[in-house]
Amino acid sequence: MSLLVIGTVAFDAIETPFGKTDKIVGGAATYASLAASYFYDKVKIVAVVGDDFPAESIANFGSHHIDTEGLQVKAGEKSFFWSGKYHNDMNSRDTLITELNVLADFDPIIPANYQDCEYLMLGNLTPQVQQTVIKRLKNRPKLIVMDTMNFWMDIAMDDLLETIKLVDVLTINDAEARQLSGEYSLAKAANKILTMGPKYLIIKKGEHGALLFGEGKIFSAPALPLEEVFDPTGAGDTFAGGFIGYMAKAGTVNFDNMKNAIIYGSALASFCVEKFGTEKIKNLSAGEVAARVQQFVNLTKFEIITA
Amino acid sequence: MSLLVIGTVAFDAIETPFGKTDKIVGGAATYASLAASYFYDKVKIVAVVGDDFPAESIANFGSHHIDTEGLQVKAGEKSFFWSGKYHNDMNSRDTLITELNVLADFDPIIPANYQDCEYLMLGNLTPQVQQTVIKRLKNRPKLIVMDTMNFWMDIAMDDLLETIKLVDVLTINDAEARQLSGEYSLAKAANKILTMGPKYLIIKKGEHGALLFGEGKIFSAPALPLEEVFDPTGAGDTFAGGFIGYMAKAGTVNFDNMKNAIIYGSALASFCVEKFGTEKIKNLSAGEVAARVQQFVNLTKFEIITA
């Protein structure tokens, strides 16, 4: 039994209205596996880095009990590098640099002892690589969650459509839900996307929370109104990782557990944006996570007494 | 004991991607008083129309037990008229025609038997007229709710700031909260606005729900994900009217009652957008309202069992 996370492990250089970083460790699999590790202790990653990737950053996964046997280190090559600058509203950003490096020909090799994977998180990556991972697993996982983005809809829609057929939960943002479905109404978009393969759809709305669709039901999760969003990088990956980590802990795939998983994922994402990169989500205590979850409970709880 | 609603009673001509109307009855006081009437049976309005306003439309207020003694009918004058066209996303619109007519020199006269007003809804109107109403009430109402919009922030900010000092609850949308406070973060914006007079602030976020700030607490209310938004006109007024109508019914001003009031207001607003103008909210049954409120309960309910 384990939770497998695939995605990028990479360097980011980030500029926000609050400051800028040099190259820091980022990547979808980094954020997602760290987040998942708060709820589940058998998280394993498949990813690729160059030999420029610092050994202490790999060791940091270990301190979260994340198995890095599937993290390929390519000698003489460089890690994936992304650099971006956020606008003042923090909701939009410009990509300044994208260097694929090791990612250009990433072949996701699954170590033999990863074959016990019951929960699979397909972090944002080429849909074809995501699909390859599913096919290389001898037993279909109990739950496959896939994150993706508009970039793949623009350049690899056919591959994307093939891949989403194979997953249980798709997580995208509202603009992407509209792009994928061709529907403006999110309710209509969700109905359409749920005919494309996934049994559940999570629409991430950033500062407006998230919507879960599935089993003919809808759940609306709030976002915590934050005084300051310091750096949104990785928030979506952290959300997805927290989501699947909680699902693995819960052990049963159903709508009620997914509702709670969304709250836990949202709580971790709300920490993520408070500092640059993984700085905040690297060192959270169980008490901090529980207190943040309680804030989400307080934020939405109401008691209607029907007359 | 009564609930006084002031605002426009007017004609609208609306064009949406789904069709267009001739002149139909609209106006903030129309929507708000109709909405309030579902929860409270002593709703009274102060507004002004011309003699072009149809008698049967005035009678329709009566069928909702809304007192129209304070509705001035100006002989030889025309009612306020607004015409607008919504864009395809239904979130933005162009104003095509604004004819102030009777509204140009509206003097809000309070009939003697309106002085029992305990709940005051200041619908969207010149801040100066809103303020005049407060001053003409001999006893300060138990709860004053004020709705306003960016238009008054653009042309009458000083009057607006004077007026909001006098109210308990301010309802504005997210862009307006940012404009009024000069803060992008809604949490910061709310903190700032709560130093300007109101004890509570409701930020309306349309399809993303609403936020209530006050007593050092925050409540996040969802919006129902609708397949179709047919006509958003009046949704904010309906929300505000439902809110204060529920508060009048509840009888005690506190955060918990306001949370429920927001859910009831949101439920009525979700009906409002399903048809043109007041068509849908004119004839709702108690059962329909209760069923819609239950949908809001189902939409947000989750159960975190802390380990």
Side-chain angles (χ1 to χ4, degrees):
Chain A
M1 286 220 332
S2 64
L3 191 176
L4 171 55
V5 176
I6 72 145
T8 49
V9 171
F11 289 122
D12 292 336
I14 302 159
E15 193 173 338
T16 80
F18 302 104
K20 60 188 290 186
T21 68
D22 291 327
K23 280 189 179 185
I24 56 172
V25 173
T30 303
Y31 287 102
S33 62
L34 280 175
S37 75
Y38 283 96
F39 307 116
Y40 195 66
D41 62 0
K42 289 173 208 75
V43 179
K44 304 175 177 185
I45 55 175
V46 165
V48 63
V49 292
D51 59 11
D52 56 348
F53 199 77
E56 71 260 34
S57 295
I58 297 179
N60 186 53
F61 286 112
S63 74
H64 279 262
H65 308 288
I66 297 166
D67 188 335
T68 53
E69 188 189 340
L71 178 64
Q72 307 166 37
V73 183
K74 296 275 185 185
E77 293 190 49
K78 288 172 76 184
S79 302
F80 175 60
F81 173 55
W82 174 83
S83 169
K85 182 178 173 170
Y86 288 88
H87 302 162
N88 280 333
D89 67 4
M90 300 299 263
N91 282 324
S92 53
R93 67 185 186 191
D94 294 324
T95 289
L96 305 177
I97 303 168
T98 306
E99 292 174 7
L100 280 182
N101 299 328
V102 289
L103 216 59
D105 56 356
F106 175 37
D107 182 36
I109 295 161
I110 316 286
N113 78 8
Y114 279 33
Q115 289 292 348
D116 63 350
C117 159
E118 276 200 314
Y119 296 88
L120 174 60
M121 176 70 234
L122 301 170
N124 178 38
L125 211 59
T126 329
Q128 210 141 29
V129 172
Q130 293 177 316
Q131 200 179 137
T132 301
V133 171
I134 299 174
K135 292 189 172 156
R136 287 181 179 173
L137 289 170
K138 287 172 191 148
N139 301 307
R140 191 200 188 272
K142 191 158 137 179
L143 181 69
I144 303 178
V145 179
M146 172 181 172
D147 190 35
T148 189
M149 68 184 294
N150 56 345
F151 181 73
W152 308 113
M153 297 178 193
D154 294 337
I155 68 160
M157 185 60 114
D158 288 347
D159 286 345
L160 183 70
L161 292 173
E162 279 303 309
T163 309
I164 69 170
K165 272 187 198 161
L166 308 174
V167 310
D168 300 304
V169 182
L170 181 66
T171 70
I172 47 181
N173 72 27
D174 40 359
E176 289 156 355
R178 287 174 171 135
Q179 180 174 354
L180 183 59
S181 65
E183 294 284 353
Y184 185 80
S185 149
L186 293 181
K188 280 192 180 177
N191 287 341
K192 209 157 167 178
I193 292 167
L194 291 177
T195 67
M196 297 177 177
K199 287 185 281 294
Y200 302 92
L201 172 68
I202 295 173
I203 299 181
K204 300 172 288 183
K205 302 194 298 171
E207 65 160 333
H208 301 301
L211 294 170
L212 167 67
F213 295 87
E215 301 183 14
K217 292 183 271 196
I218 311 177
F219 173 61
S220 171
L224 208 59
L226 296 170
E227 298 243 338
E228 212 81 271
V229 171
F230 191 82
D231 172 20
T233 310
D237 307 311
T238 301
F239 170 84
F243 174 83
I244 198 165
Y246 180 88
M247 289 306 293
K249 178 189 178 187
T252 307
V253 175
N254 62 36
F255 198 82
D256 278 342
N257 282 338
M258 285 194 190
K259 294 201 289 189
N260 287 0
I262 285 178
I263 297 297
Y264 278 92
S266 302
L268 283 186
S270 76
F271 281 120
C272 178
V273 303
E274 288 181 1
K275 292 201 174 172
F276 273 127
T278 58
E279 205 177 325
K280 187 82 186 190
I281 59 158
K282 257 190 327 202
N283 293 305
L284 293 167
S285 70
E288 282 176 292
V289 175
R292 185 61 59 94
V293 166
Q294 190 58 45
Q295 282 186 273
F296 277 80
V297 173
N298 297 343
L299 191 60
T300 52
K301 207 174 169 186
F302 63 92
E303 204 76 52
I304 296 278
I305 296 140
T306 36
Chain B
M1 288 225 328
S2 65
L3 190 176
L4 171 55
V5 176
I6 73 146
T8 49
V9 171
F11 289 123
D12 292 335
I14 301 158
E15 194 174 337
T16 79
F18 303 104
K20 58 189 289 186
T21 69
D22 291 327
K23 280 188 178 184
I24 58 172
V25 172
T30 303
Y31 286 102
S33 63
L34 281 175
S37 75
Y38 283 95
F39 307 116
Y40 196 65
D41 63 359
K42 290 174 208 76
V43 179
K44 305 174 177 188
I45 56 175
V46 164
V48 62
V49 292
D51 60 10
D52 57 347
F53 199 78
E56 70 260 34
S57 295
I58 297 178
N60 186 55
F61 286 111
S63 74
H64 279 261
H65 308 287
I66 296 166
D67 188 334
T68 54
E69 189 189 338
L71 178 64
Q72 305 167 39
V73 183
K74 297 277 185 184
E77 293 190 48
K78 289 170 76 181
S79 302
F80 173 60
F81 173 56
W82 175 82
S83 171
K85 182 178 173 171
Y86 288 88
H87 301 163
N88 281 335
D89 67 5
M90 300 299 264
N91 281 325
S92 54
R93 66 186 185 190
D94 294 323
T95 289
L96 305 176
I97 303 167
T98 307
E99 291 175 5
L100 280 182
N101 299 326
V102 289
L103 216 60
D105 57 355
F106 174 38
D107 182 35
I109 296 161
I110 316 288
N113 78 11
Y114 278 35
Q115 290 291 348
D116 63 349
C117 158
E118 276 200 314
Y119 296 87
L120 174 59
M121 175 72 234
L122 301 170
N124 178 37
L125 211 59
T126 329
Q128 208 141 33
V129 171
Q130 293 178 315
Q131 197 176 140
T132 300
V133 171
I134 298 174
K135 292 188 171 155
R136 286 180 180 172
L137 289 170
K138 286 172 192 148
N139 302 309
R140 192 203 188 268
K142 192 158 132 178
L143 180 69
I144 303 178
V145 179
M146 173 182 172
D147 189 37
T148 189
M149 69 185 293
N150 56 344
F151 181 73
W152 307 114
M153 297 178 193
D154 294 337
I155 69 161
M157 186 60 114
D158 288 347
D159 286 345
L160 183 71
L161 292 173
E162 278 303 308
T163 309
I164 69 170
K165 273 186 199 161
L166 309 172
V167 309
D168 300 304
V169 182
L170 180 67
T171 70
I172 47 182
N173 71 28
D174 40 359
E176 289 156 355
R178 288 172 172 139
Q179 182 174 355
L180 184 58
S181 65
E183 295 284 353
Y184 186 80
S185 148
L186 293 181
K188 281 192 179 176
N191 287 342
K192 208 155 168 182
I193 292 167
L194 290 176
T195 67
M196 297 177 175
K199 286 185 281 293
Y200 302 92
L201 172 69
I202 296 173
I203 299 181
K204 300 172 287 182
K205 303 193 297 173
E207 65 159 334
H208 301 302
L211 294 171
L212 167 66
F213 296 87
E215 301 183 13
K217 292 181 272 197
I218 312 177
F219 173 60
S220 170
L224 208 58
L226 297 169
E227 299 243 337
E228 210 83 270
V229 171
F230 191 81
D231 171 21
T233 310
D237 308 311
T238 301
F239 170 83
F243 174 83
I244 198 167
Y246 179 89
M247 289 304 293
K249 180 190 178 189
T252 307
V253 175
N254 62 36
F255 198 82
D256 278 343
N257 282 337
M258 284 194 190
K259 294 200 288 190
N260 287 0
I262 284 179
I263 297 296
Y264 278 92
S266 301
L268 283 185
S270 76
F271 282 119
C272 178
V273 303
E274 289 182 0
K275 291 198 175 174
F276 273 127
T278 60
E279 207 177 324
K280 186 81 187 191
I281 60 157
K282 258 190 327 203
N283 294 303
L284 293 168
S285 70
E288 282 176 292
V289 175
R292 184 61 60 96
V293 166
Q294 190 58 47
Q295 281 186 272
F296 277 81
V297 173
N298 296 343
L299 191 60
T300 52
K301 209 174 168 184
F302 63 91
E303 204 76 54
I304 296 276
I305 295 139
T306 34

